[in-house]
Amino acid sequence: PASEDGVMRSTWQGKAGRSPLQALYDNYQFEQSTLQAVHHQRREMLSNVCTRYTRKRRLLQQEDLRHLVVDDTHGLLYCYVPKVACTNWKRVMMVLTGQGKYQDPLEIPAHEAHVPSNLRTLSEYSIPEINYRLRSYLKFIFVREPFERLVSAYRNKFTLSYNTAFHKRYGTKIIRRHRQEPSDKALERGDDVRFEEFVYYLLDPRTQQEGPFNEHWERVHSLCHPCIIHYDVVGKYETLAQDANYILQLVGADTGIKFPASSKTTRTTDDMTAQFFQNISPFYQRRLFNLYKMDYLLFNYSIPSYLRIR
């Protein structure tokens, strides 16, 4: 407000007429306007790509809204995308919606963040309630470089010994269909799926005929419908802390609520992703890129330099 600004200026005169407090205030204002410009640019990009590539707009069904987590206290809708800090975002949403039950997101065990009954999704509301929230609430999404996210999903679901449910459900099928002369042990356990086999599975027409992809490797545009739902903020994994804090400020969250800082040293990086693609032929690289092409376009990610598809 101008009056407070005036008080600051007259009370704290420092070098060049600016006090330390005023300098902090000005820096904050500059950061906010820069962030606003970045997010405006992301929304514009998204809108332009949607206009260019979607000819016919379909109506949303209630099952399309299962990934949209609702915070009625702060008027917030968050579309969660697995492998894009969604565990920490669900923890934060539990703090925001918990009426004081939770104070610190990191005190919430990871498995508890994924218990469906702990958070409400938009699909649970009536049609008028859904429409009201889509119209009135701040809607946000977090995205990540598509192939980095894909490799992260592969590493998490197929290379860690504790993910036996994924090994049984997907690993055994992938090995049966895409490995020549698999051993009986591999067919039974499904715990040694190679990345190439995972790629063949994703590109297999049978996979797509059997139903939607698992959410961990489903395309973001299929999970969150960004050409039908107009997101106010498109956060990126690459600028996670900055974008998360921006959203919390926008909704007026308690200043004590902080988005957890990432401490993982095992996270999938661009260099690591490049290594996984070394054994994928240019033919399959091209087909896989085409499968995830809309996510690359919508969220303004460039074709990875390690791909041999030019």
Side-chain angles (χ1 to χ4, degrees):
S3 57
E4 288 179 19
D5 194 30
V7 170
M8 275 188 205
R9 285 183 188 281
S10 59
T11 313
W12 296 95
Q13 294 297 320
K15 275 187 185 175
R18 280 207 326 161
S19 68
L21 192 59
Q22 183 62 40
L24 276 173
Y25 177 77
D26 289 346
N27 284 342
Y28 171 77
Q29 292 293 86
F30 176 74
E31 281 172 21
Q32 289 303 100
S33 62
T34 306
L35 273 172
Q36 283 167 358
V38 165
H39 287 287
H40 176 74
Q41 199 175 5
R42 289 178 189 172
R43 284 196 306 274
E44 286 287 295
M45 182 76 191
L46 189 55
S47 173
N48 291 340
V49 174
C50 288
T51 303
R52 190 173 163 194
Y53 286 92
T54 52
R55 282 155 186 70
K56 191 178 173 187
R57 278 191 60 172
R58 68 178 185 82
L59 289 173
L60 282 170
Q61 307 298 315
Q62 270 178 291
E63 62 265 26
D64 293 328
L65 307 172
R66 287 174 299 137
H67 274 249
L68 280 146
V69 176
V70 182
D71 171 9
D72 283 322
T73 310
H74 297 89
L76 197 56
L77 291 176
Y78 159 55
C79 188
Y80 72 90
V81 178
K83 308 312 299 172
V84 192
C86 84
T87 303
N88 277 342
W89 262 117
K90 285 181 176 181
R91 285 168 162 152
V92 169
M93 294 295 280
M94 284 172 71
V95 173
L96 290 173
T97 59
Q99 277 88 45
K101 184 180 174 185
Y102 308 99
Q103 306 296 328
D104 179 1
L106 284 177
E107 287 175 1
I108 302 168
H111 67 87
E112 204 175 313
H114 297 291
V115 173
S117 57
N118 283 335
L119 290 165
R120 288 192 77 184
T121 66
L122 198 56
S123 59
E124 298 169 43
Y125 290 75
S126 69
I127 301 294
E129 288 172 330
I130 288 170
N131 287 333
Y132 169 74
R133 282 159 180 76
L134 284 172
R135 225 176 21 247
S136 314
Y137 284 15
L138 182 97
K139 299 170 289 295
F140 76 97
I141 181 177
F142 266 78
V143 299
R144 183 177 185 177
E145 203 285 328
F147 282 172
E148 193 179 289
R149 175 177 167 246
L150 188 67
V151 168
S152 177
Y154 164 77
R155 290 179 67 217
N156 182 261
K157 300 306 172 192
F158 294 109
T159 70
L160 300 178
S161 58
Y162 62 78
N163 269 323
T164 51
F166 270 81
H167 302 159
K168 286 283 186 189
R169 184 174 176 189
Y170 296 100
T172 53
K173 181 191 289 185
I174 292 170
I175 289 167
R176 187 172 70 250
R177 288 183 179 175
H178 302 289
R179 184 177 299 180
Q180 290 185 334
E181 300 178 9
S183 68
D184 291 341
K185 182 184 171 186
L187 285 170
E188 185 196 342
R189 296 173 61 141
D191 62 353
D192 66 343
V193 171
R194 295 190 281 270
F195 184 65
E196 306 93 276
E197 294 167 338
F198 179 53
V199 169
Y200 301 150
Y201 163 76
L202 293 172
L203 295 171
D204 187 340
R206 288 172 292 183
T207 304
Q208 296 179 46
Q209 286 160 10
E210 287 163 356
F213 281 169
N214 178 278
E215 62 177 17
H216 292 83
W217 47 85
E218 181 59 280
R219 284 70 54 96
V220 176
H221 72 270
S222 298
L223 290 176
C224 295
H225 314 285
C227 290
I228 309 173
I229 297 168
H230 298 293
Y231 289 95
D232 302 290
V233 181
V234 177
K236 292 202 168 187
Y237 193 71
E238 296 78 12
T239 49
L240 176 61
Q242 190 181 45
D243 293 344
N245 290 334
Y246 178 65
I247 289 161
L248 292 173
Q249 284 174 359
L250 281 179
V251 295
D254 191 297
T255 51
I257 300 172
K258 302 288 183 203
F259 190 84
S262 179
S263 58
K264 275 196 174 179
T265 52
T266 57
R267 91 168 187 86
T268 304
T269 61
D270 186 62
D271 288 346
M272 198 182 289
T273 304
Q275 289 172 14
F276 278 89
F277 274 85
Q278 278 179 349
N279 296 330
I280 308 299
S281 72
F283 174 76
Y284 283 107
Q285 287 185 6
R286 163 65 69 186
R287 287 187 60 200
L288 195 68
F289 178 76
N290 286 339
L291 189 63
Y292 288 87
K293 186 176 178 178
M294 274 306 287
D295 282 358
Y296 274 97
L297 292 169
L298 288 165
F299 306 115
N300 200 22
Y301 286 106
S302 52
I303 299 175
S305 58
Y306 54 77
L307 290 187
R308 306 187 301 280
I309 62 174
R310 284 170 177 76

